[in-house]
Amino acid sequence: QVQLVESGGGLVQAGGSLRLSCVASERIFSLMAWYRQAPGKQREYIATITAGGTTNYADSVKGRFTISRDNAKNTVYLQMNNLKSEDTAVYYCNVHLFRIPPVDYWGKGTLVTVSS
């Protein structure tokens, strides 16, 4: 059972920046991702990063957010720049294991609030 702990959320003004961190309880050799869930909305995909460092982003954050990982520290990061009010959400870390059936682990989330 992989444990994931997010940190780095908080209150920031529009146009500001935050960096989220997610520490895993063990070394992850698989896909790691960030998702978010705004009040009253479904959880949505933000970004993924493979073990080798290949990244992918949702259109809504492309050019503003950067996902990275430090495998030695079992940590994935999300650098968020030029934040907008619509980025307000709880941000969740995810580990996806390509097994049959697939396995997903989730953190408890960290709240990001962007004031306009």
Side-chain angles (χ1 to χ4, degrees):
Q1 185 82 3
V2 176
Q3 307 294 323
L4 301 171
V5 180
E6 302 99 334
S7 62
L11 175 64
V12 63
Q13 287 190 332
S17 298
L18 280 176
R19 188 174 86 150
L20 306 183
S21 300
C22 171
V23 180
S25 57
E26 60 187 69
R27 186 72 176 263
I28 303 299
F29 296 95
S30 188
L31 196 70
M32 300 186 78
W34 287 96
Y35 287 73
R36 68 185 180 189
Q37 187 166 17
K41 296 188 177 180
Q42 290 188 332
R43 190 171 297 188
E44 66 170 341
Y45 158 80
I46 295 298
T48 53
I49 185 167
T50 67
T54 300
T55 59
N56 190 59
Y57 297 92
D59 288 342
S60 58
V61 305
K62 200 172 293 184
R64 300 188 299 122
F65 291 11
T66 302
I67 188 171
S68 60
R69 65 193 288 170
D70 186 335
N71 292 328
K73 296 182 178 180
N74 302 340
T75 302
V76 62
Y77 304 97
L78 186 68
Q79 177 66 44
M80 305 186 294
N81 298 329
N82 190 22
L83 283 160
K84 306 176 181 180
S85 57
E86 52 263 42
D87 295 319
T88 294
V90 178
Y91 284 71
Y92 296 92
C93 179
N94 166 266
V95 167
H96 182 79
L97 302 181
F98 294 93
R99 298 176 178 172
I100 300 174
V103 176
D104 283 280
Y105 295 105
W106 296 91
K108 294 183 178 180
T110 184
L111 176 63
V112 172
T113 303
V114 183
S115 63
S116 55

